[in-house]
Structures are given as structure tokens and as C-alpha cells.
């Protein structure tokens, strides 16, 4: 029986809806196998997969009176065979990294974030990099006595975040974008990437991958690099770090697409993709052929669209149409298209996205740092437009990203319409996990705790003041949680980070190397920046303070 919260925060049982025998999965649709009526999943006004309330069910499970209270507390955390001493090797029932080194792991946290929301009394069986069973604790411990049981008191097991838009080879220059005009790819990003060689591109990408993992991202979509290197070095960096990556090759010249799509088929972590940075970078024929190639291969075609006013006007002047409208006009907008940003859309362009099934990335931090506006993600949801949340390489912190996603919608649209919910917390968790994976073409691979999906997940410590007492865990994760609460990060069933650092390679050494190398790359790139403080008022706050006038003698 699933425990479902009532309005007062207490848990109430409902029928079990999650497979647990390891022989069937949930399929590619985000609402499959969840025990949710198809019509209920779309009561929010068109969200595909998870409905507006999908992640709010089961709220209030943690903290005083919830799962962590006396009445609902789980047994002391332990690692070992079922029925053995409940205390782990680290004492006091606290497991350590070595406790997760087994072929079959039966994880027993206090809370599991399922598609229907946070649920207690659930165990998760991990084997061969996938979730093999998800179900009631006693049933799974009885059925899988040969698995190593790891009990995790006070922890949430949740899907890893999915970054729907990243530039892994731009990590040396994040702060170079501060205080700059909206469109800086010609003055900052292109020079920076052109200054990279294979060694520094690998270092930059691995640094970005480490930051992403530290922030709870288990998957990131790289939108293509302009660095004069083989993209294999980026794939190597992601695999070494342990990050799942949708890796693009820029094919604005129409060359190399087929080979790239075939190149990484044996990899468990690298998913090939093709990219054209902006539509005007390629001819209409190349755009259409690239979109068709991706559609045939089931890969994602990544392209920046309608990001800034300058980009929209440049498109109007060069091809006579706005970017999304132009892609639609030439037949390059389809269900495999992933448009980055899509900040400035007309109603007609929104309808084009909805009608074709194309996906977009909502990048709220990028809008705050260097944008002209905030994308109307709530309208996308109402229209059934597929989208995930992305960092655009700004800040690799999943919890801060979902907070920004909600806050930006509230500030830009909710305040003027009196919408005090702006989707509630569960909507943003869904778009940052399962629906983000769907936008990247990985809906059948990752994004949720479900049988058959890749075991990409986080262990989050709930025993913190910020989440105590708890009444609506989904919304609390969006507004109150932080990456410092992430105890462990798993990708493809392997423990990748423990308390923020890799367990099988030297993360601090990488950071030291990047601190030495990054500034030299930026110097070599000759990045052009506008001085954000030409009068020095920020450096010397009192300098421009008004002074009494003096009278000449």
C-alpha cells in the first residue's frame, strides 16, 4: 500500500501502483504505470505526463509529525544483509560509501519521491545500473534476501535533476557574463571556446560535470561547442566524472552528423545529439536535413531560438521570420527538436511548438543574468508544450534552479494575475526531472524512480532546520532545500559523489588545476567585456554620494 497524505499532512493508504518484480517498466510516457487516470494527469491544463498536482500528493511526510516523527520513523540506518545487525560500519547506523558497493542494493530511505509525490514505506532495488523493483519495504526485503540492505534514516531518495541546456566547455568563463548585455556569444563565449585545446576543453568539461553532479544533476544536455577539438574529449570528461550527457556536435556545415549519431551507441552515459547554434548559422537545407536525421535516429536536434531581442531581430532581417516560425516554415520543427531558451515567443510560435511536439528548455537563471525577459513557462504548460529546466551553464545547483524556475514565473506573471501558486512545487520538480528527461529524448531512460529506468538518483538529508517541521515536502524542496543536503549522487547505479566529492577520483586536484589553467585560457581568449561599473560606484559606494557645494572665495 502506498502512503498518501491527507490534507492535514497525515499519511493515508492507497492502492500500490508501482511495479516491483523487475520484469516490467513504466514505458516512455511520464504518466504510465502510476495509477493516475489519463484525464487527471492533464487537469492542470495540458501538462504531458505529470499533472500540476503530481508531485504534491504525499506532501507533509517529513519533519515533526511526519515520517521523521516518532510515529513514522524508520529503523536506524544500517548496511548489511537483511536480518543482520542494523548498525553500519560507521557506527550509529550511518552508512558510508563502501556500504553501496554490492551487485544488488536494496535501499530503504524514509521517503521516496515517486511520480505521485513523496511516499514512505518504500524500498528500491538497484542492480546493473537500473531500478529493478520499487515497492513496500517488507515485501521487497522478503523477496530479495540476497541483496545488501542499506537503511537510510532521515533521507529522501529522489530522481537526479536533469539539466536541459548546458555548455560544458564554458565553465572557465561563467563570471565573465556578469553585468554584460544580453547577447554576448560573439564577445565572450566564442572567443573563450576558440581558445581551448583538447587538454583545456577536457578540463573545462570535467569541471562543469563535477559542478553539475555536486548540484544534484545526473544528466546534462550539452548544446555543442565551438572549441576546435573533437567532441570525444567532452564525452571522455563526462564519463570520467560520471555524468550522463546528451552530447551535441555542431553541424552547421552539414557534415559529420551521421557519424556522430553512431559514434557513442555503446556508451551507457553518452547520448549523441546534433546542434546548430542558431538557425541563421546554416542554410534551410542543412537545418531541415539535420532535423530529419535526428528524427530518424531518435536523437535530439538542439538549437537556440528566440533567446534575446537581438536574436529575434537578426532572424527577421536575415530570413524574414522569427526563429521558431522560420524552423516551422522550413520543416525543421519536430518532436526531436529541442529549442534553447525560447524566451520571446508569440502566441503563434507557442502553438507551433505545441502542434509539432517540439521541446524547449526553460532557463530562468540565464534570463536573470543576461536576458531580456522571462519565458512564459506556465503558459507552455497550459498549452502542452514539452519543456525541461536548464542552467545554460550559469550555476550548477539543481535546488536553486527549481527555486528560480518558480520565482521567475511568480515575479513575471503570477504577481500581475494574482496567481499565488504558479504551479506549486511539484510542477517544477517534475520539469526538472521526468519531464526534463522527456524533453531530452530520454523519457524511457531516466528522470524518475521507476522499474526499468536508469538508477540516476540522489540521497537527500531531510534532518535539517530548513525542512522542519514539514507540511508539503515537494514545495519545500523547491523553496527551502539546498545542495549541501545531498549526501550522495548516483548515476547508472554507481555512487559518484559522497558529500559533494567523487569517491573514485581526485576532485580537489581537478579544482586546483582549473584554478591555475582557467584564467590563462580567458587571458588568451581576449574576451571583450563591458565594464559593469564604469564610475566605480560599486567598488567605492561612497564616491558618488552627494556633497555640499563649496563657495569660491
Amino acid at each position: 500500500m502506498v502512503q498518501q497524505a491527507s490534507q492535514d499532512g497525515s499519511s493515508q493508504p492507497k492502492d500500490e501502483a508501482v511495479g516491483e518484480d523487475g520484469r516490467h517498466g513504466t514505458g516512455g510516457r511520464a504518466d504510465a504505470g502510476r495509477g493516475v487516470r489519463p484525464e487527471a494527469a492533464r487537469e492542470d491544463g495540458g501538462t504531458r505526463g505529470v499533472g500540476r498536482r503530481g508531485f504534491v500528493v504525499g506532501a507533509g511526510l517529513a519533519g515533526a509529525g511526519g515520517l521523521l516523527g516518532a510515529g513514522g520513523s524508520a529503523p536506524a540506518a544500517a548496511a548489511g544483509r537483511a536480518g543482520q545487525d542494523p548498525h553500519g560500519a560507521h557506527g550509529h547506523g550511518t552508512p558510508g560509501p563502501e556500504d553501496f558497493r554490492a551487485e544488488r542494493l536494496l535501499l530503504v530511505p524514509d521517503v521516496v519521491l515517486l511520480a505521485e509525490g513523496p511516499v514512505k514505506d518504500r524500498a528500491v532495488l538497484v542492480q546493473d545500473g537500473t531500478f529493478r523493483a520499487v515497492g513496500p519495504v517488507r515485501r521487497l526485503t522478503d523477496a530479495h534476501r540476497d541483496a545488501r540492505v542499506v537503511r537510510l534514516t532521515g533521507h529522501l531518495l529522489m530522481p537526479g535533476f536533469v539539466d536541459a541546456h548546458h555548455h560544458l566547455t564554458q565553465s572557465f568563463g561563467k563570471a565573465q557574463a556578469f553585468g554584460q548585455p544580453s547577447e554576448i556569444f560573439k564577445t565572450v563565449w566564442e572567443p573563450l571556446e576558440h581558445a581551448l585545446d583538447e587538454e583545456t576543453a577536457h578540463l573545462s568539461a570535467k569541471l562543469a560535470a563535477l559542478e553539475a553532479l555536486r548540484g544534484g544533476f545526473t544528466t546534462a544536455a550539452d548544446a555543442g561547442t565551438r572549441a576546435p577539438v573533437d567532441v570525444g574529449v567532452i564525452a571522455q570528461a563526462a564519463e570520467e566524472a560520471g555524468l550522463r550527457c546528451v552530447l551535441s556536435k555542431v553541424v552547421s556545415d552539414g557534415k559529420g552528423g551521421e557519424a556522430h549519431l553512431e559514434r557513442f551507441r555503446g556508451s551507457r552515459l553518452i547520448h549523441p545529439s546534433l546542434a546548430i547554434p542558431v538557425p541563421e548559422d546554416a542554410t534551410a537545407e542543412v537545418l531541415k536535413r539535420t532535423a530529419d536525421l535526428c528524427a530518424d535516429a531518435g536523437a535530439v536536434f538542439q538549437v537556440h531560438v528566440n533567446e534575446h531581442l537581438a536574436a529575434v531581430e537578426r532572424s527577421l532581417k536575415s530570413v524574414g521570420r522569427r526563429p521558431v516560425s522560420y524552423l516551422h516554415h522550413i520543416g525543421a520543427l519536430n518532436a526531436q527538436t529541442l529549442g534553447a531558451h525560447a524566451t520571446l515567443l508569440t502566441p503563434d510560435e507557442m502553438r507551433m511548438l505545441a502542434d509539432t511536439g517540439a521541446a524547449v528548455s526553460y532557463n530562468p537563471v540565464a534570463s536573470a543574468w543576461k536576458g531580456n525577459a522571462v519565458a512564459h513557462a506556465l503558459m507552455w504548460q497550459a498549452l502542452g508544450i514539452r519543456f525541461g529546466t536548464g542552467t545554460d551553464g550559469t550555476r550548477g545547483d539543481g535546488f536553486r534552479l527549481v527555486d528560480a524556475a518558480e520565482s521567475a514565473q511568480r515575479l513575471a506573471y503570477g504577481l500581475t494575475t494574482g496567481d499565488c501558486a504558479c504551479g506549486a512545487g511539484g510542477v517544477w520538480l517534475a520539469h526538472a526531472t521526468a519531464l526534463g528527461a522527456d524533453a531530452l529524448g530520454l523519457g524511457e531512460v531516466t528522470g524518475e524512480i521507476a522499474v526499468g529506468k536508469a538508477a540516476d538518483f540522489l540521497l537527500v538529508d531531510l534532518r535539517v532546520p530548513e525542512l522542519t517541521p514539514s507540511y508539503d515536502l515537494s514545495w519545500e524542496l523547491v523553496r527551502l532545500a539546498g545542495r549541501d543536503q545531498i549526501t550522495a549522487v548516483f548515476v547508472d547505479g554507481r555512487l559518484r559523489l559522497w558529500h559533494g566529492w567523487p569517491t573514485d577520483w581526485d576532485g580537489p586536484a581537478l579544482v586546483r588545476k582549473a584554478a591555475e589553467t582557467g584564467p590563462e585560457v580567458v587571458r588568451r581568449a581576449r574576451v571583450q567585456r563591458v565594464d559593469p561599473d564604469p564610475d566605480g560606484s560599486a567598488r567605492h559606494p561612497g564616491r558618488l554620494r552627494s556633497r555640499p557645494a563649496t563657495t569660491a572665495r
Side-chain angles (χ1 to χ4, degrees), residues 79-85 102 104 145-149:
R81 299 291 178 184
Q84 286 188 358
D85 187 344
R104 289 165 56 82
R145 293 183 178 275
D146 60 336
R148 169 168 289 191
V149 178

Side-chain angles (χ1 to χ4, degrees), residues 124-141:
V124 177
L125 180 67
V126 176
Q127 182 179 355
D128 296 329
T130 62
F131 295 119
R132 293 303 183 92
V134 181
V137 173
R138 177 165 295 183
R139 189 182 303 176
L140 263 63
T141 53

Side-chain angles (χ1 to χ4, degrees), residues 1 19 102 169 171 249 253 339 347 367 379 405 421 427 467 483 497:
M1 301 292 286
T169 55
S171 64
K249 175 181 174 62
D253 59 0
S367 291
M379 184 66 75
V427 163
L467 301 179
R483 67 179 176 188
L497 265 62

